[in-house]
Amino acid sequence: TRNGGAGMEKALSNQEDLGGDRGMTDDIFDESYCEKEGPKPAKRYVWRNIVLMSLLHLGGLYGLWLIPAAKPVTLAWGFLCFLLSALGVTAGAHRLWSHRSYKAGLPLRIFLAIANSMAFQNDIYEWARDHRVHHKFSETDADPHNATRGFFFSHVGWLLVRKHPDVIEKGQKLDLADLKADKVVMFQRRFYKLSVVAMCFLFPTLVPWCFWGESLRNSFFLPAILRYVLVLNATWLVNSAAHMFGNRPYDRNINPRENRLVTFGALGEGFHNYHHTFPYDYSTSEFGWHYNFTTAFIDLMCLLGLASNRKKVSKETILARKIRTGDGSHKSG
Ligand code: ST9
Ligand code: ZN
Ligand code: ZN
């Protein structure tokens, strides 16, 4: 089997590590799934998405071109918008809602949901559902961004075609009760379009225009469009590059890798071999704040009493796992 027959053992030791209080385990790799035999269903292009994604990226290029003409404070604002929307994905949709790797009180969940709408990456419910099937059925037909279909498909191509039927079939069997029970998640889903217009486009544009007299053109194409394109691509690189390039110190039998460049752009989300090996670790890495702004943010929230219950894998478990299934690269670096 893929991870050396360690599936059952892994599932059991996971339970110990979690203390069983995460309320869900549907992000653990399921070895029992086999892809259906026979020819794969034909790709069905979604032209609306292809046109809109192309226009968005042209807008992003135009934004790059406008950088020298913008006020420095507008660029700083764009950077702040990048951090906020990225946290809505990393600390919010990913570590909190997909993996339940820590607990967040109502004020923090409201903040993260607003930040998440700023990132416009589908609502939290849909994001977390797709992300749980990604972990449970990694690199198979039931993985929405199956990296065995190539760099382009796992990066953005998967958003431009209809999903493989197995993604939907397997996704429908996931336990999403925790998401359905979260009023913040359901509220964001209900008012998703409105919240995206307000947070991803209007808010980033209006602030520079109203408060320091930036031109409407620069205000729109820099903190709104270019910032959105950058957050999207930083996120997508986790699915593409971090499933292809880098070391595998924790599990050499899986594709996800440790990719420093991705980690840097994605606020700590590029330690992807670690993350797929221990998906319930709130830090997605064993190295604390090192290259990991998201971990620093969650730690600060705990310090302020807004979050709690961080799940962390013990050093001993990590070392044992490295020795048992790693590629040996941890010794050199
Ligand atoms: C975007 C998402 O960019 C990016 C996610 C990246 C994930 C990264 C993970 C990496 C780790 C974390 C790192 C974070 C780093 C962050 C760094 C920040 C600096 N289960 O979807 P439909 C059902 S989005 C169960 O239309 P089609 C469901 O019933 C960008 N059921 O499928 C649904 O109906 P309902 C902006 C499922 O027709 C029905 O099927 N957005 C599942 O095949 C149809 O669903 C876009 O570009 C499931 N998994 O279309 C739009 N899936 O309404 C993207 C589906 O009841 N989306 N169902 O839910 C689309 O246009 C379409 O989904 C499609 C597929 C064309 C892609
Ligand atoms: Zn992955
Ligand atoms: Zn994950």
Side-chain angles (χ1 to χ4, degrees), residues 18 26 85 88 128-129 141 158 176 184 187 193 200 204-205 211 219 235 252-253 277 284 315 317 323:
L18 307 177
D26 264 350
S85 42
R129 179 189 67 191
D141 285 339
W158 66 283
L176 304 174
V184 175
F187 186 87
K193 283 192 183 131
C200 183
T205 305
F211 289 102
S219 302
T235 307
R252 62 180 178 274
N253 304 301
T277 309
T284 72
K315 283 279 172 203
T317 305
I323 291 168

Side-chain angles (χ1 to χ4, degrees), residues 134 243 272 276:
H134 166 65
H243 271 254
H272 213 49
H276 274 260

